[in-house]
Amino acid sequence: MFIDNRNTKQWQKIDSDHHLHPFTDHKLLSTSGSKIITSAKGNYVFDSEGNEILDMMAGLWCVNIGYGRNELAEVAKKQMEIVPYYNTFFKTSTTPPIELSRVLAEITPDGIEHFFFGSSGSESNDTVVRLVRRYWDILGKKNKKTFISRTYAYHGSTMVGASLGGMEAMHGQGDLPLPGFTHVMPPYKYKFGKDISEEEFAVLAVKEIENKILELGPDNVAAFIGEPIQAAGGVIVPPENYWSLVQNLCDQYDIILCVDEVVCGFGRTGEWFGSQHFNIKPDIITFAKGITSGYLPLSGVGVGKKVSDVFINQGKDFYHGYTYSGHPVACAVAIENLRIIKEEGMLENVKNHTAPYLQKRIREFQDHPLVGEVRGQGLLAGVELVKNKEKKELFDPPGKVGNICRDHCTNNNLVMRAVRDGMMCSPPLTITKEDIDKCMVKLKKSLDSTLEDIKKIDL
Ligand code: PXG
């Protein structure tokens, strides 16, 4: 084992000397130092200073069954002893990816029967772009290449993941998006549909997609991709009728419908998948995170009959795969994780108890002077902080107030995610009503402190 008896300062020094973090201003980080997480249990993580921190983000939208489930460690150990690694290339497989595929076929949206594995959500979204373009190629529709996605979408951080994503800041670095990726308005009613009804706004948002299809020409459009609820984009919950309209549009113009289930998958909405919550049947889904509750890296693509038939029945090759596609240890851990979710009735508990409770409690902030909107679905929720509540006016430029509030949450030993000026949460599926109550006390304190702070600064 590596040396684990250093103190906080020592870890921070080595971290700052050698470790590059994702999405981080390292100059700033070297002055504050990283928070060093040294253990975790249930819905809490503990840092090297002994703080007990309520993790309302389930790590990074992923620790669905909570921390410290030894069953997963046992399974990993056992599988490492049996076969730690073998590949799934060259007409070979180990048993865990086969069994995991069978289990997934039972719980994924109707019609999704085949699974291809990777190690991250970004990788699986890359797989989708290659798969769908190859699909149209095989069918002789060689121009169907463009992917339509949405502003504020998050689909990963590789060149393709960031191109599919609709994050302006990411596009600003490294000449992105790549050619063949375009973005339309998301179903973000608070910002884009202030004065109309939910239903009217859904029609408007879907009309934008149709206009984009017509502008590009349907013969050039490969697929539409979206998260059921945009998570890292700010917990953007679409109107109830949005997704069925999108599905109709994709059918009408012969466009593949890809649903990115990386966050919404594995129980977040109280169903196995967000597609089931919105009652749609995607052609393809991608998933990651919650499939192993983050205990090991694993991701995948679920492929429906329409696409898989072409590859399987026409005997066409697809020159694509990763060393760790179907990694036996990660797949074994996933099977155990899914067993726990199922056998402990976590979906039912989320749907009938904890999600309604979280949604009810967080809506109490609707009257807070800083809060413009409270939104959420299932165990995804957030409050949008605004400059002017009556006029629904957002802070411009965005981000400063969100960061202030996030820092207060940190000081109150609460992990929530600041997205622009919203405070978002996505707790483990094991979150209890007591922990939700604790979260509300900490969040109220953080919002009140933020309000006091911003009175003193020029925004
Ligand atoms: N799709 C969705 C919907 C995601 O949320 C990915 C794909 C990419 O997964 P990987 O495993 O390649 O990271 C994600 C990841 C944040 C944050 O700041 C969110 C994600 C990753 C990192 C940070 O909220 N989501």
Side-chain angles (χ1 to χ4, degrees):
M1 284 288 272
F2 66 95
I3 305 163
D4 205 2
N5 59 1
R6 299 184 179 107
N7 64 30
T8 305
K9 283 268 167 296
Q10 289 168 321
W11 282 121
Q12 286 174 335
K13 169 87 173 68
I14 302 170
D15 184 55
S16 156
D17 285 349
H18 299 293
H19 181 201
L20 294 175
H21 294 240
F23 286 84
T24 295
D25 176 337
H26 285 85
K27 194 162 179 204
L28 261 183
L29 181 65
S30 67
T31 57
S32 67
S34 292
K35 182 182 281 296
I36 311 291
I37 302 300
T38 48
S39 65
K41 185 91 192 146
N43 306 319
Y44 288 82
V45 295
F46 301 85
D47 70 12
S48 51
E49 294 296 289
N51 291 308
E52 180 182 282
I53 303 162
L54 176 56
D55 184 9
M56 288 298 282
M57 280 307 298
L60 207 46
W61 323 81
C62 59
V63 186
N64 288 17
I65 64 167
Y67 299 95
R69 293 299 299 249
N70 256 351
E71 301 94 317
L72 267 57
E74 296 295 329
V75 164
K77 178 173 183 290
K78 205 161 163 191
Q79 184 60 45
M80 278 195 191
E81 286 163 356
I82 302 169
V83 191
Y85 174 77
Y86 201 77
N87 68 65
T88 53
F89 289 52
F90 320 124
K91 300 184 189 167
T92 309
S93 184
T94 55
T95 57
I98 301 175
E99 172 63 6
L100 179 58
S101 301
R102 186 192 69 76
V103 172
L104 285 169
E106 282 179 2
I107 60 174
T108 45
D110 279 357
I112 306 266
E113 301 275 345
H114 288 86
F115 301 91
F116 181 92
F117 296 108
S119 306
S120 71
S122 304
E123 264 182 21
S124 285
N125 283 328
D126 273 40
T127 295
V128 163
V129 172
R130 295 206 58 210
L131 183 81
V132 171
R133 287 184 174 170
R134 176 71 179 131
Y135 165 82
W136 288 121
D137 214 23
I138 294 170
L139 293 182
K141 300 191 176 177
K142 295 187 187 304
N143 294 329
K144 277 176 97 64
K145 289 214 161 49
T146 297
F147 273 68
I148 300 178
S149 175
R150 300 170 299 174
T151 308
Y152 299 137
Y154 192 85
H155 296 297
S157 194
T158 53
M159 295 292 278
V160 160
S163 294
L164 282 172
M167 299 295 189
E168 205 183 310
M170 291 173 83
H171 291 169
Q173 299 177 349
D175 295 332
L176 298 176
L178 297 170
F181 297 89
T182 187
H183 304 83
V184 295
M185 179 181 78
Y188 182 5
K189 187 174 171 325
Y190 188 73
K191 179 161 181 175
F192 297 113
K194 289 190 170 72
D195 302 318
I196 56 179
S197 74
E198 288 269 313
E199 288 73 19
E200 284 169 327
F201 180 61
V203 171
L204 188 76
V206 175
K207 185 76 196 146
E208 284 232 354
I209 307 172
E210 184 168 24
N211 290 344
K212 183 57 82 177
I213 295 170
L214 295 172
E215 177 195 318
L216 294 163
D219 288 346
N220 299 316
V221 180
F224 177 84
I225 185 165
E227 304 153 71
I229 296 165
Q230 284 175 247
V235 183
I236 300 170
V237 184
E240 275 297 322
N241 57 330
Y242 173 81
W243 272 110
S244 61
L245 294 175
V246 172
Q247 170 119 60
N248 292 344
L249 198 66
C250 290
D251 290 345
Q252 186 185 340
Y253 290 104
D254 199 16
I255 288 164
I256 295 292
L257 175 58
C258 305
V259 175
D260 181 332
E261 295 273 7
V262 167
V263 167
C264 291
F266 308 104
R268 186 119 320 267
T269 64
E271 303 287 344
W272 278 110
F273 291 89
S275 300
Q276 292 153 339
H277 172 82
F278 289 108
N279 212 4
I280 51 163
K281 291 201 177 85
D283 297 307
I284 290 180
I285 60 170
T286 51
F287 51 84
K289 296 190 189 269
I291 188 166
T292 57
S293 288
Y295 281 51
L296 279 179
L298 180 69
S299 70
V301 178
V303 186
K305 215 169 147 39
K306 179 168 162 178
V307 175
S308 67
D309 266 1
V310 166
F311 286 89
I312 295 164
N313 294 341
Q314 297 201 13
K316 298 287 186 186
D317 262 330
F318 177 38
Y319 301 128
H320 177 74
Y322 309 111
T323 302
Y324 299 129
S325 287
H327 192 287
V329 181
C331 289
V333 165
I335 295 164
E336 181 64 5
N337 176 59
L338 299 181
R339 184 194 67 74
I340 288 174
I341 295 178
K342 195 169 169 183
E343 288 183 10
E344 296 188 6
M346 288 191 189
L347 302 189
E348 294 74 17
N349 193 43
V350 168
K351 194 171 176 170
N352 301 324
H353 302 289
T354 47
Y357 190 69
L358 172 66
Q359 298 302 336
K360 175 173 143 280
R361 290 279 351 248
I362 199 162
R363 275 169 182 72
E364 290 168 18
F365 290 111
Q366 191 64 67
D367 294 332
H368 193 280
L370 250 190
V371 173
E373 183 183 53
V374 185
R375 54 179 181 260
Q377 181 70 55
L379 285 183
L380 282 168
V383 291
E384 176 110 42
L385 313 186
V386 292
K387 188 163 181 188
N388 187 316
K389 205 175 160 92
E390 280 66 44
K391 294 187 191 150
K392 299 187 176 176
E393 188 187 349
L394 302 173
F395 291 105
D396 189 18
K400 210 166 168 180
V401 178
N403 280 342
I404 294 173
C405 189
R406 196 258 329 277
D407 288 346
H408 282 299
C409 289
T410 306
N411 291 337
N412 290 318
N413 286 333
L414 168 67
V415 184
M416 283 185 66
R417 168 84 165 80
V419 178
R420 299 181 296 283
D421 296 299
M423 296 307 299
M424 306 300 152
C425 70
S426 173
L429 307 187
T430 50
I431 198 76
T432 58
K433 291 186 177 176
E434 291 70 33
D435 283 340
I436 291 171
D437 289 340
K438 280 187 194 161
C439 168
M440 295 305 140
V441 172
K442 289 171 186 281
L443 181 57
K444 165 126 188 24
K445 226 169 130 186
S446 307
L447 287 171
D448 291 346
S449 307
T450 305
L451 188 60
E452 284 311 305
D453 283 355
I454 66 174
K455 281 181 188 158
K456 295 176 216 147
I457 54 173
D458 216 11
L459 282 164

